[in-house]
Amino acid sequence: VTRYLHAAMHERLDKSPEVHAAHERFMTWLTGLVRETVRGYGFSEEDQERVVEVATFLFEGFNVLLPLPRPGHEMMDFLLTRLVGSNT
């Protein structure tokens, strides 16, 4: 459901200020979760922001309406727990 909703939001971003605002709120929430997750892992602020950028890029890519090799949430979980978590 999330993929379809997110894709529909992207189709309407330029047409609806309300949809654009909702998308921005959601992405602000998401990037906040990523920042909270990587805080305390010993990364520089620049590297923390890079992780946020990569996670945002991946999330947006996961939610296009193309077949994925596995669900986006599994890939994000791998990124945050295996790759980021292994730096401790």
Side-chain angles (χ1 to χ4, degrees):
V1 175
T2 301
R3 290 179 68 201
Y4 297 103
L5 176 60
H6 198 81
M9 290 177 87
H10 272 271
E11 290 176 11
R12 293 170 177 83
L13 284 176
D14 295 335
K15 299 174 184 129
S16 170
E18 293 82 6
V19 171
H20 189 271
H23 181 267
E24 288 301 310
R25 279 193 308 272
F26 179 76
M27 293 307 296
T28 297
W29 171 78
L30 178 68
T31 57
L33 285 178
V34 174
R35 279 188 184 92
E36 190 176 310
T37 300
V38 299
R39 191 177 298 129
Y41 280 104
F43 293 118
S44 68
E45 282 190 37
E46 182 180 345
D47 285 349
Q48 287 181 42
E49 285 307 306
R50 182 166 278 164
V51 171
V52 170
E53 289 171 4
V54 169
T56 301
F57 175 80
L58 292 173
F59 178 83
E60 292 286 10
F62 294 154
N63 287 295
V64 296
L65 295 179
L66 299 173
L68 296 173
R70 65 185 74 243
H73 66 89
E74 285 182 20
M75 296 171 81
M76 186 68 76
D77 181 63
F78 175 81
L79 172 72
L80 294 175
T81 60
R82 301 299 192 318
L83 300 179
V84 174
S86 68
N87 197 33
T88 56

